[in-house]
Amino acid sequence: MKEKIHPDYHEITVVATDGSKFTTRTTWGKAGDTMTLEIDPKSHPAWTGVHRLIDSGGQLAKFNKRFAGMGLKKGND
């Protein structure tokens, strides 16, 4: 393996939004740094697979009205 071409691989502490902590190895930051997560992997749709559509400014209702006759399912099915 060539020397001085690989990033430093070290341990950091990760703090989840619920306060739980774990140690992992990474190239992020410096040895001993703490990474604080802003998104909770236990409840975020990207990790849970549960997606909810939020209607901001009536855009979802407008879309559903416009494409109602296209044969799309309505609701959270």
Side-chain angles (χ1 to χ4, degrees):
M1 193 162 60
K2 291 184 181 180
E3 293 184 26
K4 299 183 182 182
I5 65 166
H6 299 285
D8 179 35
Y9 192 62
H10 50 269
E11 286 190 354
I12 64 165
T13 302
V14 179
V15 180
T17 56
D18 64 357
S20 62
K21 298 178 183 180
F22 63 92
T23 303
T24 189
R25 294 183 56 82
T26 183
T27 58
W28 178 87
K30 297 177 184 170
D33 279 355
T34 300
M35 176 187 285
T36 305
L37 301 179
E38 296 177 3
I39 298 172
D40 189 359
K42 295 176 187 170
S43 62
H44 193 275
W47 289 280
T48 62
V50 177
H51 299 278
R52 288 172 279 168
L53 297 175
I54 299 172
D55 191 2
S56 58
Q59 294 298 311
L60 184 58
K62 184 178 175 182
F63 176 87
N64 285 336
K65 182 179 177 184
R66 184 173 180 186
F67 296 104
M70 298 287 289
L72 298 174
K73 290 183 179 180
K74 287 187 179 181
N76 293 336
D77 294 336

